[in-house]
Amino acid sequence: MIGIYRETIKNIPSLIIVDTEKYEQPLPVFTYYHGFTSAKEHNLPQAYLLAQKGFRVVLPDSMYHGDRTDDLSKEELSFKFWDIVYQNLKDLQDIKHEMDQRDLILNRRFGVGGTSMGGVTTSAALTMYPWIQAAAVMMGSPKPVDFAKKLIKDVEQTGIQLPINEMELNDLYSSLQSIDLSANTHKLNARPLFFWHGDADPVVPFEHAYDFYNEIVEDYKNPENIRFLRDVGVDHKVSRFGILEMVNWLEIVL
């Protein structure tokens, strides 16, 4: 039986999805981050499927989301996007540490994935944590500098006054360079990486992940370890096909 356990990991409200008979056993661990304005419960389908394959899945709530909500408007929340991503990165370290302390990770098999903002987090995490063994980016961007510029442009086109000035914007772009996977491809070290993206996505540019994939694919000697799934005509919503393919791929590489 697959169980859903509500736990708080270092002040991070999380759901743990795992075979109940294996709850206290070391297993491959996969942490999956939700998207902007979503919450941990929204990723239960992929967590269930992964748990059926023998994974322990951790679904954390991001800052200002789910059980960590702060009643911010969507506009207020949008200006905290990168604060949330950076907090996700800190939280991931805490989750990994907690799993290590409880001896719940089998043979260092720890993977990370996420949808949209969670995919942005996943790509950034690969620049920071060499202990990530495999990653799945579902309609996320491995180019946070370019994505930040796109988000700012979108806001400007609505006529909303930006709460930061030009100098602060440049500081943001500069700070994002360190977690920009496209600018730090050497940190990837040919670790297993999966991309899914709908090519009609109006929110996160399809080209960010697709172009990056084409830049790095030749660095992989094992073709199983790098995969890009293009869903034709699909917008900003992960398809069932994408979820099933991610799960099947993770069973092979992690």
Side-chain angles (χ1 to χ4, degrees):
M1 180 183 295
I2 303 301
I4 302 174
Y5 302 88
R6 185 177 293 273
E7 298 186 18
T8 300
I9 303 173
K10 300 286 183 68
N11 299 317
I12 307 161
S14 305
L15 296 178
I16 310 296
I17 297 83
V18 64
D19 186 326
T20 54
E21 295 183 358
K22 300 177 180 178
Y23 178 78
E24 296 183 354
Q25 298 178 21
L27 297 171
V29 175
F30 195 74
T31 300
Y32 195 92
Y33 281 94
H34 62 74
F36 184 68
T37 72
S38 186
K40 59 188 181 301
E41 292 83 3
H42 294 216
N43 292 319
L44 282 169
Q46 45 265 63
Y48 178 85
L49 292 169
L50 283 165
Q52 282 188 315
K53 300 287 189 181
F55 289 88
R56 182 188 320 279
V57 185
V58 182
L59 301 180
D61 268 332
S62 295
M63 184 169 65
Y64 305 127
H65 289 73
D67 292 336
R68 301 168 84 176
T69 187
D70 202 17
D71 294 324
L72 299 175
S73 68
K74 188 172 182 179
E75 181 181 315
E76 292 172 320
L77 195 61
S78 66
F79 291 121
K80 295 184 179 295
F81 183 91
W82 296 108
D83 293 336
I84 298 166
V85 169
Y86 274 113
Q87 186 61 51
N88 281 347
L89 294 170
K90 293 176 183 176
D91 291 349
L92 184 61
Q93 176 75 75
D94 288 337
I95 291 167
K96 168 66 162 51
H97 180 73
E98 177 74 10
M99 294 293 111
D100 276 333
Q101 289 293 103
R102 293 164 59 182
D103 194 26
L104 292 176
I105 305 175
L106 179 65
N107 299 330
R108 299 181 298 165
R109 293 163 67 187
F110 188 97
V112 183
T115 300
S116 192
M117 181 177 71
V120 172
T121 296
T122 299
S123 296
L126 289 167
T127 70
M128 297 178 63
Y129 303 129
W131 38 257
I132 296 173
Q133 300 296 308
V137 179
M138 311 297 280
M139 65 186 189
S141 173
K143 300 186 176 186
V145 175
D146 289 347
F147 187 48
K149 291 178 179 178
K150 189 260 185 191
L151 293 176
I152 293 299
K153 184 177 180 181
D154 289 347
V155 171
E156 289 176 337
Q157 289 178 343
T158 66
I160 295 174
Q161 182 67 38
L162 291 172
I164 53 178
N165 58 39
E166 192 70 26
M167 183 176 295
E168 291 170 320
L169 272 180
N170 290 330
D171 286 344
L172 169 64
Y173 300 147
S174 179
S175 70
L176 291 175
Q177 282 285 347
S178 64
I179 60 167
D180 191 314
L181 188 58
S182 69
N184 297 277
T185 55
H186 62 285
K187 294 185 177 181
L188 188 52
N189 289 323
R191 282 175 285 176
L193 181 57
F194 177 96
F195 287 103
W196 174 91
H197 216 126
D199 64 8
D201 189 343
V203 180
V204 181
F206 169 83
E207 292 76 13
H208 284 193
Y210 188 62
D211 291 348
F212 175 76
Y213 163 80
N214 285 314
E215 291 168 11
I216 64 167
V217 65
E218 293 184 0
D219 296 338
Y220 283 78
K221 295 180 181 179
N222 184 349
E224 288 289 338
N225 284 348
I226 181 73
R227 192 167 182 202
F228 190 102
L229 281 187
R230 175 179 191 157
D231 243 349
V232 178
V234 176
D235 57 15
H236 197 65
K237 184 179 180 180
V238 181
S239 67
R240 175 170 170 78
F241 166 72
I243 291 172
L244 292 174
E245 289 298 308
M246 178 195 75
V247 170
N248 291 334
W249 178 84
L250 284 167
E251 185 182 21
I252 295 170
V253 303
L254 186 64

Short mmCIF file of all heavy atoms in Angstrom, two decimals, residues 210-234:
data_model
loop_
_atom_site.label_atom_id
_atom_site.label_comp_id
_atom_site.label_asym_id
_atom_site.label_seq_id
_atom_site.Cartn_x
_atom_site.Cartn_y
_atom_site.Cartn_z
N TYR A 210 14.89 23.62 -24.72
CA TYR A 210 15.20 22.91 -25.96
C TYR A 210 16.57 23.29 -26.51
O TYR A 210 17.37 22.43 -26.89
CB TYR A 210 14.11 23.18 -27.00
CG TYR A 210 14.24 22.34 -28.24
CD1 TYR A 210 14.15 20.95 -28.17
CD2 TYR A 210 14.45 22.92 -29.49
CE1 TYR A 210 14.26 20.16 -29.31
CE2 TYR A 210 14.56 22.14 -30.64
CZ TYR A 210 14.47 20.77 -30.54
OH TYR A 210 14.59 19.99 -31.67
N ASP A 211 16.85 24.59 -26.51
CA ASP A 211 18.16 25.04 -26.99
C ASP A 211 19.28 24.54 -26.07
O ASP A 211 20.35 24.15 -26.55
CB ASP A 211 18.21 26.58 -27.08
CG ASP A 211 17.32 27.12 -28.19
OD1 ASP A 211 16.85 26.31 -29.03
OD2 ASP A 211 17.08 28.34 -28.22
N PHE A 212 19.02 24.56 -24.77
CA PHE A 212 20.02 24.08 -23.81
C PHE A 212 20.30 22.60 -24.04
O PHE A 212 21.45 22.16 -24.05
CB PHE A 212 19.52 24.31 -22.39
CG PHE A 212 20.43 23.75 -21.33
CD1 PHE A 212 21.62 24.40 -21.00
CD2 PHE A 212 20.11 22.57 -20.68
CE1 PHE A 212 22.47 23.88 -20.04
CE2 PHE A 212 20.96 22.04 -19.71
CZ PHE A 212 22.13 22.70 -19.39
N TYR A 213 19.24 21.83 -24.22
CA TYR A 213 19.39 20.40 -24.48
C TYR A 213 20.29 20.16 -25.70
O TYR A 213 21.20 19.32 -25.68
CB TYR A 213 18.02 19.77 -24.69
CG TYR A 213 18.06 18.41 -25.35
CD1 TYR A 213 18.36 17.26 -24.62
CD2 TYR A 213 17.79 18.28 -26.72
CE1 TYR A 213 18.40 16.01 -25.23
CE2 TYR A 213 17.82 17.04 -27.34
CZ TYR A 213 18.14 15.91 -26.59
OH TYR A 213 18.19 14.69 -27.21
N ASN A 214 20.04 20.90 -26.77
CA ASN A 214 20.83 20.73 -27.99
C ASN A 214 22.29 21.15 -27.80
O ASN A 214 23.18 20.64 -28.50
CB ASN A 214 20.20 21.50 -29.14
CG ASN A 214 18.95 20.82 -29.68
OD1 ASN A 214 18.95 19.62 -29.90
ND2 ASN A 214 17.87 21.58 -29.87
N GLU A 215 22.53 22.04 -26.86
CA GLU A 215 23.90 22.47 -26.57
C GLU A 215 24.69 21.40 -25.81
O GLU A 215 25.90 21.27 -25.99
CB GLU A 215 23.89 23.76 -25.75
CG GLU A 215 23.41 24.98 -26.51
CD GLU A 215 23.13 26.16 -25.56
OE1 GLU A 215 23.51 26.08 -24.38
OE2 GLU A 215 22.52 27.14 -26.03
N ILE A 216 24.01 20.63 -24.96
CA ILE A 216 24.72 19.71 -24.06
C ILE A 216 24.61 18.24 -24.45
O ILE A 216 25.35 17.41 -23.92
CB ILE A 216 24.22 19.86 -22.61
CG1 ILE A 216 22.74 19.44 -22.50
CG2 ILE A 216 24.44 21.26 -22.09
CD1 ILE A 216 22.26 19.25 -21.07
N VAL A 217 23.72 17.90 -25.36
CA VAL A 217 23.44 16.49 -25.64
C VAL A 217 24.70 15.72 -26.06
O VAL A 217 24.87 14.54 -25.72
CB VAL A 217 22.31 16.35 -26.69
CG1 VAL A 217 22.75 16.90 -28.05
CG2 VAL A 217 21.86 14.89 -26.81
N GLU A 218 25.60 16.38 -26.76
CA GLU A 218 26.81 15.69 -27.21
C GLU A 218 27.79 15.41 -26.07
O GLU A 218 28.74 14.64 -26.26
CB GLU A 218 27.50 16.50 -28.32
CG GLU A 218 26.69 16.56 -29.61
CD GLU A 218 27.42 17.28 -30.72
OE1 GLU A 218 28.57 17.74 -30.48
OE2 GLU A 218 26.86 17.39 -31.83
N ASP A 219 27.57 16.01 -24.91
CA ASP A 219 28.43 15.75 -23.76
C ASP A 219 28.10 14.43 -23.08
O ASP A 219 28.83 13.98 -22.20
CB ASP A 219 28.29 16.88 -22.72
CG ASP A 219 28.77 18.22 -23.26
OD1 ASP A 219 29.58 18.21 -24.21
OD2 ASP A 219 28.35 19.26 -22.72
N TYR A 220 27.01 13.82 -23.49
CA TYR A 220 26.54 12.58 -22.86
C TYR A 220 26.95 11.37 -23.70
O TYR A 220 26.52 11.23 -24.84
CB TYR A 220 25.03 12.60 -22.69
CG TYR A 220 24.57 13.45 -21.52
CD1 TYR A 220 24.52 14.83 -21.61
CD2 TYR A 220 24.18 12.86 -20.31
CE1 TYR A 220 24.12 15.61 -20.54
CE2 TYR A 220 23.77 13.63 -19.25
CZ TYR A 220 23.74 15.00 -19.36
OH TYR A 220 23.33 15.78 -18.30
N LYS A 221 27.77 10.52 -23.10
CA LYS A 221 28.17 9.29 -23.79
C LYS A 221 27.07 8.24 -23.75
O LYS A 221 26.94 7.42 -24.65
CB LYS A 221 29.45 8.74 -23.15
CG LYS A 221 30.66 9.65 -23.33
CD LYS A 221 31.89 9.07 -22.69
CE LYS A 221 33.08 10.00 -22.86
NZ LYS A 221 34.32 9.47 -22.21
N ASN A 222 26.27 8.25 -22.67
CA ASN A 222 25.15 7.33 -22.55
C ASN A 222 23.87 8.07 -22.94
O ASN A 222 23.40 8.94 -22.21
CB ASN A 222 25.03 6.82 -21.12
CG ASN A 222 23.92 5.78 -20.97
OD1 ASN A 222 23.11 5.58 -21.87
ND2 ASN A 222 23.87 5.13 -19.81
N PRO A 223 23.29 7.75 -24.09
CA PRO A 223 22.10 8.47 -24.56
C PRO A 223 20.89 8.33 -23.64
O PRO A 223 19.98 9.16 -23.68
CB PRO A 223 21.83 7.85 -25.94
CG PRO A 223 22.49 6.52 -25.90
CD PRO A 223 23.69 6.69 -25.03
N GLU A 224 20.87 7.28 -22.79
CA GLU A 224 19.76 7.10 -21.86
C GLU A 224 19.73 8.19 -20.79
O GLU A 224 18.69 8.46 -20.18
CB GLU A 224 19.85 5.73 -21.17
CG GLU A 224 19.52 4.56 -22.06
CD GLU A 224 18.03 4.48 -22.39
OE1 GLU A 224 17.23 5.05 -21.64
OE2 GLU A 224 17.69 3.85 -23.41
N ASN A 225 20.89 8.81 -20.56
CA ASN A 225 21.01 9.76 -19.45
C ASN A 225 20.56 11.18 -19.79
O ASN A 225 20.53 12.03 -18.91
CB ASN A 225 22.45 9.79 -18.94
CG ASN A 225 22.78 8.57 -18.10
OD1 ASN A 225 21.89 7.82 -17.72
ND2 ASN A 225 24.06 8.37 -17.82
N ILE A 226 20.23 11.43 -21.04
CA ILE A 226 19.75 12.77 -21.41
C ILE A 226 18.55 12.61 -22.34
O ILE A 226 18.61 11.87 -23.34
CB ILE A 226 20.87 13.60 -22.10
CG1 ILE A 226 20.38 15.00 -22.47
CG2 ILE A 226 21.46 12.86 -23.29
CD1 ILE A 226 20.20 15.93 -21.31
N ARG A 227 17.47 13.25 -21.98
CA ARG A 227 16.26 13.08 -22.79
C ARG A 227 15.45 14.36 -22.81
O ARG A 227 15.33 15.05 -21.79
CB ARG A 227 15.40 11.95 -22.22
CG ARG A 227 14.28 11.52 -23.15
CD ARG A 227 13.66 10.22 -22.72
NE ARG A 227 12.63 9.84 -23.68
CZ ARG A 227 11.63 9.03 -23.42
NH1 ARG A 227 11.51 8.48 -22.23
NH2 ARG A 227 10.73 8.73 -24.34
N PHE A 228 14.92 14.67 -23.97
CA PHE A 228 14.02 15.82 -24.12
C PHE A 228 12.74 15.35 -24.80
O PHE A 228 12.77 14.80 -25.90
CB PHE A 228 14.67 16.92 -24.95
CG PHE A 228 13.88 18.21 -24.92
CD1 PHE A 228 14.29 19.26 -24.12
CD2 PHE A 228 12.72 18.37 -25.67
CE1 PHE A 228 13.56 20.45 -24.06
CE2 PHE A 228 11.98 19.54 -25.61
CZ PHE A 228 12.40 20.58 -24.80
N LEU A 229 11.61 15.55 -24.12
CA LEU A 229 10.31 15.22 -24.69
C LEU A 229 9.58 16.50 -25.06
O LEU A 229 9.30 17.33 -24.20
CB LEU A 229 9.48 14.42 -23.69
CG LEU A 229 9.79 12.94 -23.54
CD1 LEU A 229 8.75 12.30 -22.63
CD2 LEU A 229 9.80 12.24 -24.89
N ARG A 230 9.27 16.62 -26.32
CA ARG A 230 8.53 17.77 -26.83
C ARG A 230 7.08 17.36 -27.05
O ARG A 230 6.80 16.43 -27.80
CB ARG A 230 9.15 18.23 -28.15
CG ARG A 230 8.40 19.34 -28.85
CD ARG A 230 9.12 19.73 -30.13
NE ARG A 230 8.59 20.95 -30.72
CZ ARG A 230 9.28 21.73 -31.54
NH1 ARG A 230 10.52 21.40 -31.88
NH2 ARG A 230 8.74 22.84 -32.02
N ASP A 231 6.16 18.03 -26.37
CA ASP A 231 4.73 17.77 -26.56
C ASP A 231 4.18 18.84 -27.50
O ASP A 231 4.08 20.03 -27.13
CB ASP A 231 3.99 17.80 -25.22
CG ASP A 231 3.37 16.45 -24.87
OD1 ASP A 231 3.34 15.58 -25.74
OD2 ASP A 231 2.94 16.27 -23.72
N VAL A 232 3.85 18.44 -28.70
CA VAL A 232 3.41 19.38 -29.73
C VAL A 232 2.03 19.95 -29.40
O VAL A 232 1.09 19.22 -29.09
CB VAL A 232 3.37 18.69 -31.11
CG1 VAL A 232 2.85 19.66 -32.18
CG2 VAL A 232 4.75 18.17 -31.49
N GLY A 233 1.94 21.29 -29.43
CA GLY A 233 0.67 21.96 -29.21
C GLY A 233 0.22 22.06 -27.78
O GLY A 233 -0.86 22.58 -27.49
N VAL A 234 1.04 21.58 -26.83
CA VAL A 234 0.67 21.60 -25.41
C VAL A 234 1.14 22.89 -24.77
O VAL A 234 2.26 23.35 -25.01
CB VAL A 234 1.28 20.38 -24.67
CG1 VAL A 234 0.97 20.45 -23.18
CG2 VAL A 234 0.74 19.09 -25.26
#
